[in-house]
């Protein structure tokens, strides 16, 4: 019955055929929208609906193309440079995201290490425990922290009733609260890749290093840490990239002067109704993130080669 | 190998997991507080749950969110299955790099960018924002997570089972239906659940793409949280956590059982 049996080529063909559905979806609802963002970032703001002057309107045909090209405006980009609000937003987003990434790494590494060194039969449960918070609502977890951190919240109440502090310390509506919120929300993304890298390690390598006279500390820094670097980098990217564009956390836990680009973009879009400005902010944010995102993708697709 | 866990390892685990779980535990605890104030324990009460049932706005948002999550979860599972199948079985094809770049980007890209892009797209093509635009937005992100889950299962798939079926005379279509699909079913269910939860949880994409009359539950919660701490939010949060926990347990046992008898 070999006649009916599908050859690898035929299977490859049908698999490629099937790929059209998800590919078409992503091209239509992911790639094309970015082309439109780019287009609108070059248009001028106006009053009306939609609140921007269309550029490169294809309805006028080819003859109109030169006229259309003249409507191109760099106004939104030049205002990004001239208004210090935007530059400060970018800078403080990167700083806050970077600090949160380092903090998350410092907390996650010992946890991931302990998970990987725990008895085998504990490990599935520990992994589930590390993933489970990801399944509960992000918004709810941030809300839990507003309950804890507010001036009249649980933390201040507890500290005051024990007598450690006399008056409430202000954490809520500061950069610290935003930092705690980001670290808390993204911690599972840091723990899991590091755990995966550590768990795969051949433990005889450590034993070899110890046999050769290395101290435990030296064995850790010369063997364990370098071998887990892939997980560390993946974890850092998974925390840093989304944290740069974070909007909910600075909005709920930060003060009005916690500038983060995601929030500035939202204000530009919703309050100022400056759609070209918001589009330009998004384009610049993407340009800043394209290197880390590209790097992460290369790491990922290196793992799924056929 | 002798695996004794050291005291400092236990300390790291306890501290790490306490950090992750204490806020959630406090949230649940205070949903049963009779007092409106967080700092005062007024005794055990289910008063806030009762009030939830009278909050019609909230209930209608729950209904909208559930419908969006069901639809986008189902679309994500279907598209994710196709995408994972293509990635594992199509070999090297033109556009593969772009395809996998497109699949990994929505997962990691800041949500505000994806949300803004979709909104501007919907406005540009003249599609009025509402229920379906939220479903599209959630499917776009959900299908990528679904792909990753199904991809993992397909990649470790024992191809000899398919070959055996075809040697016994099954057509490729029959083989797919009777061998490939049943083996991948647990992963497809897991992918659906993941996309479902992501949709149920999403605030940013929904607030860019929802129109009037399609306010989802997270959007409703968000506007209440901005007004301050309220025990009603604790109550709805607790219900959501309980729902997800039950769902995960059911899925865990369902998948575990099927996984043990794959070729049945």
């Amino acid at each position: 019955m070999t006649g009916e049996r599908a050859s690898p080529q035929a299977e490859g063909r049908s698999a490629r055929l099937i790929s059209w559905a998800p590919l078409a979806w992503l091209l239509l609802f992911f790639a094309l929208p970015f082309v439109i963002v780019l287009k609108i970032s070059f248009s001028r703001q106006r009053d009306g609906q939609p609140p921007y002057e269309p550029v490169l309107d294809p309805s006028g045909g080819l003859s109109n193309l030169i006229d259309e090209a003249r409507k191109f405006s760099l106004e939104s980009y030049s205002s990004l440079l001239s208004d210090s609000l935007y530059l400060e937003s970018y800078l403080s987003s990167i700083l806050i995201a970077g600090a949160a990434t380092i903090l998350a790494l410092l907390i996650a590494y010992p946890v991931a290490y302990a998970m990987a060194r725990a008895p085998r039969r504990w490990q599935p449960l520990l992994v589930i425990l590390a993933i489970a918070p990801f399944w509960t609502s992000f918004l709810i977890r941030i809300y839990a922290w507003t309950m804890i951190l507010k001036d009249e919240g649980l933390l201040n109440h507890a500290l005051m009733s024990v007598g450690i502090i006399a008056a409430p310390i202000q954490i809520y509506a500061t950069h610290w609260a935003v930092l705690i919120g980001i670290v808390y929300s993204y911690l599972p993304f840091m723990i899991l890749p590091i755990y995966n890298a550590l768990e795969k390690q051949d433990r005889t390598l450590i034993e070899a290093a110890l046999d050769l006279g290395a101290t435990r500390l030296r064995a850790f820094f010369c063997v364990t840490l370098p071998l887990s670097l892939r997980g560390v980098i993946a974890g850092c990217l998974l925390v840093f990239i989304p944290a740069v564009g974070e909007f909910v956390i600075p909005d709920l836990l930060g003060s009005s002067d916690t500038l983060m680009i995601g929030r500035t973009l939202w204000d530009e879009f919703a309050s100022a109704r400056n759609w070209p400005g918001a589009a330009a902010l998004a384009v610049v944010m993407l340009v800043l993130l394209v290197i880390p995102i590209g790097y992460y993708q290369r790491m990922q697709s290196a793992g799924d080669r056929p | 190998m002798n695996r004794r866990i050291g005291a400092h390892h236990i300390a790291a685990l306890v501290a790490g997991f306490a950090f992750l779980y204490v806020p959630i535990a406090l949230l649940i605890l205070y949903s049963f507080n009779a007092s409106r104030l967080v700092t005062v324990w007024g005794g055990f009460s289910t008063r806030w749950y009762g009030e939830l049932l009278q909050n019609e706005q909230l209930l209608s948002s729950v209904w909208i969110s559930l419908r969006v999550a069901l639809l986008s979860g189902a679309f994500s599972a279907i598209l994710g299955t196709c995408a994972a199948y293509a990635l594992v079985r199509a070999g090297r094809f033109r556009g593969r790099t772009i395809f996998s770049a497109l699949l990994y980007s929505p997962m990691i890209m800041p949500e505000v960018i994806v949300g803004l892009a979709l909104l501007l797209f919907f406005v540009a093509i003249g599609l009025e924002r509402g229920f379906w635009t939220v479903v599209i937005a959630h499917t776009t992100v959900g299908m990528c997570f679904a792909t990753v889950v199904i991809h993992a299962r397909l990649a470790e798939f024992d191809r000899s089972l398919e070959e055996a079926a075809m040697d016994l005379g099954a057509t490729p279509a029959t083989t797919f239906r009777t061998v490939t699909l049943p083996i991948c079913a647990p992963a497809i269910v897991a992918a659906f659940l993941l996309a479902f939860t992501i949709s149920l949880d999403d605030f940013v994409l929904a607030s860019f793409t929802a129109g009037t009359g399609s306010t989802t539950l997270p959007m409703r919660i968000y506007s209440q949280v901005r007004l301050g701490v309220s025990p009603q939010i604790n109550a709805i949060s607790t219900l959501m956590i309980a729902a997800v926990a039950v769902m995960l347990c059911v899925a865990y046992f369902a998948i575990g059982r099927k996984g043990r008898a794959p070729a049945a």
Side-chain angles (χ1 to χ4, degrees), chain B residues 133-183:
Chain B
T133 48
V134 184
V135 173
I136 290 174
H138 286 177
T139 304
T140 305
V141 173
M143 66 175 280
C144 302
F145 284 94
T147 306
V148 172
V149 173
I150 300 165
H151 183 274
R153 178 84 180 188
L154 261 179
E156 63 180 32
F157 187 94
D158 184 2
R159 297 293 296 271
S160 57
L161 291 172
E162 284 177 344
E163 283 159 19
M166 288 197 265
D167 283 343
L168 292 171
T171 61
T174 313
T175 308
F176 182 79
R177 200 165 41 81
T178 57
V179 179
T180 320
L181 214 52
I183 292 179

Side-chain angles (χ1 to χ4, degrees), chain A residues 219-294:
Chain A
F220 174 81
F221 279 106
C222 294
V223 181
T224 312
L225 190 61
L227 284 175
S228 64
L229 216 52
R230 212 185 126 86
V232 170
I233 294 172
C236 287
L237 291 171
L238 280 176
V239 174
F240 180 77
I241 299 168
V244 168
E246 190 49 62
F247 157 68
V248 172
I249 298 172
D251 201 45
L252 289 183
L253 292 176
S255 72
S256 54
D257 57 62
T258 313
L259 288 175
M260 281 194 80
I261 199 64
R263 201 173 171 201
T264 310
L265 188 155
W266 175 267
D267 287 342
E268 206 64 39
F269 164 77
S271 318
R273 273 185 77 75
N274 179 5
W275 290 16
L281 279 169
V283 169
V284 173
M285 197 194 318
L286 260 188
V287 169
L288 289 177
L289 291 178
V290 90
I291 294 170
I293 290 178

Side-chain angles (χ1 to χ4, degrees), chain A residues 5 11 16 19 23 25 29 113 129 132-133 135 137-140 143 152 157 184 203 251 269 297 304, chain B residues 9 19-21 27 39 86 89-90 93 96 101 104-105 118-119 140 151 159 167 197 201 218 222 230 234:
Chain A
R5 202 166 145 178
E11 190 197 60
R16 278 194 286 279
S19 80
L23 186 60
W25 182 285
F29 295 120
Y113 188 83
L129 277 175
W135 290 81
S137 167
F138 173 71
L139 205 55
I140 289 173
Y143 167 71
E152 68 278 16
H157 184 70
Y184 180 73
R203 301 230 341 212
D251 201 45
F269 164 77
Q297 280 175 347
D304 69 41
Chain B
H9 287 165
F19 178 60
L20 283 178
Y21 284 98
L27 182 84
T39 44
R89 298 293 174 82
F93 60 96
R96 188 192 163 90
Y104 285 116
S105 299
L118 278 167
L119 166 91
T140 305
H151 183 274
R159 297 293 296 271
D167 283 343
T197 334
D201 183 27
Y222 194 81
S230 125
N234 289 45

Side-chain angles (χ1 to χ4, degrees), chain B residues 16-37:
Chain B
F17 286 121
F19 178 60
L20 283 178
Y21 284 98
V22 166
I24 298 173
L26 287 172
L27 182 84
I28 295 172
L29 180 68
Y30 278 89
S31 75
F32 296 107
N33 185 4
S35 162
R36 187 174 284 279
L37 296 167

Side-chain angles (χ1 to χ4, degrees), chain B residues 253-264:
Chain B
F253 287 112
I255 291 168
R257 199 161 303 138
K258 274 184 194 153
R260 276 194 289 276

Side-chain angles (χ1 to χ4, degrees), chain A residues 107-276:
Chain A
I107 297 173
Y109 203 98
V111 177
Y113 188 83
M115 280 169 68
R117 295 289 175 268
R120 277 262 170 249
R121 63 200 153 82
W122 292 14
Q123 293 200 9
L125 180 69
L126 292 173
V127 171
I128 290 175
L129 277 175
I131 299 175
F134 177 71
W135 290 81
T136 61
S137 167
F138 173 71
L139 205 55
I140 289 173
R141 283 181 288 145
I142 296 304
Y143 167 71
W145 281 100
T146 67
M147 202 178 74
I148 294 168
L149 295 178
K150 279 206 166 180
D151 289 358
E152 68 278 16
L154 287 170
L155 182 68
N156 273 314
H157 184 70
L159 290 177
M160 272 157 66
S161 53
V162 179
I164 297 174
I165 52 169
I169 41 170
Q170 201 197 353
I171 305 173
Y172 182 74
T174 65
H175 286 13
W176 286 107
V178 178
L179 215 53
I180 293 172
I182 295 177
V183 170
Y184 180 73
S185 309
Y186 291 101
L187 197 63
F189 293 105
M190 187 68 97
I191 293 178
L192 285 173
I194 298 178
Y195 164 77
N196 281 334
L198 285 170
E199 192 258 338
K200 277 191 216 119
Q201 262 176 35
D202 186 354
R203 301 230 341 212
T204 54
L205 290 172
I206 304 279
E207 280 157 28
L210 295 176
D211 284 345
L212 292 169
T215 60
R216 285 204 165 271
L217 206 62
R218 196 174 150 84
F220 174 81
F221 279 106
C222 294
V223 181
T224 312
L225 190 61
L227 284 175
S228 64
L229 216 52
R230 212 185 126 86
V232 170
I233 294 172
C236 287
L237 291 171
L238 280 176
V239 174
F240 180 77
I241 299 168
V244 168
E246 190 49 62
F247 157 68
V248 172
I249 298 172
D251 201 45
L252 289 183
L253 292 176
S255 72
S256 54
D257 57 62
T258 313
L259 288 175
M260 281 194 80
I261 199 64
R263 201 173 171 201
T264 310
L265 188 155
W266 175 267
D267 287 342
E268 206 64 39
F269 164 77
S271 318
R273 273 185 77 75
N274 179 5
W275 290 16

Side-chain angles (χ1 to χ4, degrees), chain B residues 37 42 46 60 69 82 84 91 96 122 140 170 189 194 219 233 259:
Chain B
L37 296 167
T46 51
S60 81
C82 296
R96 188 192 163 90
F122 291 141
T140 305
V189 172
L194 183 59
M219 290 167 73
I233 308 174

